[in-house]
Amino acid sequence: MRYPNGTGKNNRQPMPNTRENNGYSNRGMTLEEDINVTNTYYLAAEKAIIHKKPTPVQIVKVHYPKRSAAVITEGYFKQPSTTDYNGLYRNKYIDFEAKETKNKTRFPLANIHEHQITHMKSIVEHGGICFLIIRFAVYNESYFLPAAKLFPYWDAKNNGGKKSISYERIKQEGFLIPFHFQARINYLAVIDHYYFSSKQD
Amino acid sequence: MRYPNGTGKNNRQPMPNTRENNGYSNRGMTLEEDINVTNTYYLAAEKAIIHKKPTPVQIVKVHYPKRSAAVITEGYFKQPSTTDYNGLYRNKYIDFEAKETKNKTRFPLANIHEHQITHMKSIVEHGGICFLIIRFAVYNESYFLPAAKLFPYWDAKNNGGKKSISYERIKQEGFLIPFHFQARINYLAVIDHYYFSSKQD
């Protein structure tokens, strides 16, 4: 495994928005890249099995050239019907969505879709661990917001309430995700604390 | 939800090998279609949340026409690095692969890839429920084979043993998946029996 530059065999699907990894600093990597590197580490260290789901593509035309691989010549991006990441940790089903915002004061709920909330509510009802990772790019801070704490804001928005959650509220109700050299977005540490320790808030 | 013709909103990504659904008979539908219809029913009935992962595509070129959706003009199919289906049922992480064979006497192990076995072994170690659904198309029978019963055959193959599992062995070690009008491949019934009842073989 060629780590930590993110070219290990478990690191799937290079993203179009890939930027240079400037050494050990967290700067310059997107949230998605950081999470992918983290998941690759978790997998190699046998801590958890979490994968990003492939981008859903509606395939319309495929060309089959002789002696070489099939080429998709017409396809369209589809709206994902669930969340981006899921997997298994400490016998529990894990499911989450990751969102990055450049906003300094709030996280706009327009970043999430109704059907994703429906999915997240089902996950919680069936005993899964479900959450949102929100990065405030300006502060280079990523927060872990348990799904159960997201739902009241969503429901309020649907009833004419605010269309965003303030940065302050996320700081209060969420958990700042610690940086770890190999697990750059070390969200399992938050899961350990919040779901597996007895002192759940 | 437009059920059971498989066009409900949770039924994602129409497959290129779609055949006509001839009424209530199981004949004429692929294993994948049957599982998709089953999963849609499970979801609507709030029994389980199981989705097929999107087909992984390596996107190379995207065209952005004015006033219409982005078009992928060059893409390639990628080998999936995990299994096709995963989700959540009765607080447990569920993970499986589905394979159909036209063979009358055996299931060829060439249908499965080494990295999928690696993934399945990790799932079992981390406390997930992992299995294979194997359809013998000729008999129109689908079997549920727990991953733990698949591994010895795989390891034997890697040590120079047989490259397939006989139909008879699968009948003995696996479980015939019952047909249910709405859950055409009613694999949750097997999970209930095998993993949740006390009389585990």
Side-chain angles (χ1 to χ4, degrees), chain B:
Chain B
M1 197 183 81
R2 284 166 292 164
Y3 185 84
N5 62 7
T7 54
K9 64 172 180 164
N10 292 310
N11 195 305
R12 301 177 298 169
Q13 207 158 326
M15 289 297 123
N17 54 356
T18 298
R19 305 181 207 151
E20 277 293 310
N21 172 359
N22 9 328
Y24 301 140
S25 150
N26 203 37
R27 285 163 186 278
M29 285 182 87
T30 64
L31 176 59
E32 178 169 321
E33 287 164 344
D34 275 338
I35 293 173
N36 286 346
V37 168
T38 299
N39 288 343
T40 300
Y41 164 71
Y42 287 158
L43 195 64
E46 296 185 9
K47 282 175 151 295
I49 307 150
I50 318 275
H51 288 282
K52 182 174 189 297
K53 291 173 207 162
T55 305
V57 168
Q58 175 77 50
I59 297 159
V60 177
K61 274 187 204 156
V62 182
H63 177 56
Y64 299 91
K66 281 181 191 167
R67 293 189 196 81
S68 54
V71 190
I72 297 159
T73 56
E74 187 183 347
Y76 298 90
F77 294 98
K78 288 168 61 184
Q79 191 98 298
S81 59
T82 61
T83 44
D84 271 356
Y85 301 86
N86 76 356
L88 177 60
Y89 176 57
R90 291 179 69 173
N91 296 333
K92 298 291 275 182
Y93 174 87
I94 306 295
D95 196 300
F96 66 98
E97 183 71 20
K99 293 292 180 192
E100 197 159 1
T101 182
K102 287 176 179 163
N103 201 303
K104 290 176 191 177
T105 57
R106 57 180 55 83
F107 173 70
L109 290 166
N111 277 308
I112 308 171
H113 303 289
E114 186 74 47
H115 57 265
Q116 290 182 312
I117 297 285
T118 305
H119 171 75
M120 294 173 97
K121 285 183 174 174
S122 298
I123 295 301
V124 172
E125 277 160 27
H126 286 260
I129 289 178
C130 190
F131 55 93
L132 208 61
I133 293 180
I134 301 169
R135 173 178 286 179
F136 284 92
V138 173
Y139 308 120
N140 197 24
E141 289 173 351
S142 299
Y143 289 89
F144 180 114
L145 188 69
K149 297 195 174 191
L150 166 68
F151 300 151
Y153 289 101
W154 186 268
D155 296 340
K157 172 191 77 78
N158 282 355
N159 290 313
K162 285 188 182 168
K163 290 187 168 65
S164 63
I165 312 176
S166 73
Y167 171 64
E168 288 307 321
R169 283 299 190 100
I170 288 170
K171 273 183 94 139
Q172 282 162 30
E173 301 197 37
F175 301 89
L176 183 63
I177 302 177
F179 174 85
H180 174 272
F181 170 59
Q182 290 171 296
R184 308 177 72 82
I185 299 286
N186 192 15
Y187 62 87
L188 293 187
V190 179
I191 293 180
D192 285 340
H193 166 74
Y194 185 67
Y195 296 94
F196 287 102
S197 84
S198 51
K199 46 172 184 173
Q200 227 185 76
D201 326 81

Side-chain angles (χ1 to χ4, degrees), chain A residues 59-176:
Chain A
I59 297 160
V60 176
K61 275 186 203 156
V62 182
H63 177 56
Y64 299 92
K66 283 180 192 170
R67 293 189 197 80
S68 55
V71 191
I72 296 158
T73 56
E74 186 182 346
Y76 298 91
F77 295 100
K78 287 166 62 183
Q79 190 98 298
S81 59
T82 61
T83 45
D84 272 355
Y85 303 86
N86 75 356
L88 177 60
Y89 176 57
R90 291 177 70 173
N91 296 333
K92 297 292 276 181
Y93 174 87
I94 306 295
D95 196 299
F96 65 99
E97 182 71 20
K99 293 293 180 191
E100 197 160 1
T101 181
K102 288 176 178 162
N103 201 304
K104 290 176 191 177
T105 56
R106 57 179 57 83
F107 173 69
L109 290 167
N111 277 307
I112 309 171
H113 302 289
E114 186 75 48
H115 57 265
Q116 290 182 312
I117 297 286
T118 305
H119 171 75
M120 295 173 96
K121 286 182 175 175
S122 298
I123 295 301
V124 172
E125 278 161 27
H126 287 260
I129 289 178
C130 189
F131 54 94
L132 208 60
I133 294 181
I134 302 169
R135 173 178 285 178
F136 284 91
V138 174
Y139 308 120
N140 197 25
E141 290 173 351
S142 299
Y143 289 89
F144 181 114
L145 188 68
K149 296 194 175 192
L150 165 67
F151 300 151
Y153 290 101
W154 186 266
D155 296 340
K157 172 191 77 78
N158 282 355
N159 290 311
K162 285 188 181 169
K163 290 187 168 65
S164 63
I165 312 176
S166 74
Y167 171 64
E168 287 307 320
R169 283 298 190 100
I170 288 169
K171 274 183 94 138
Q172 283 162 32
E173 301 197 38
F175 301 89
L176 183 62

Side-chain angles (χ1 to χ4, degrees), chain A residues 9-26:
Chain A
K9 64 170 179 164
N10 292 311
N11 195 305
R12 302 177 299 167
Q13 205 160 325
M15 289 297 122
N17 53 355
T18 299
R19 305 181 208 153
E20 276 293 309
N21 173 1
N22 7 325
Y24 301 140
S25 151
N26 202 37

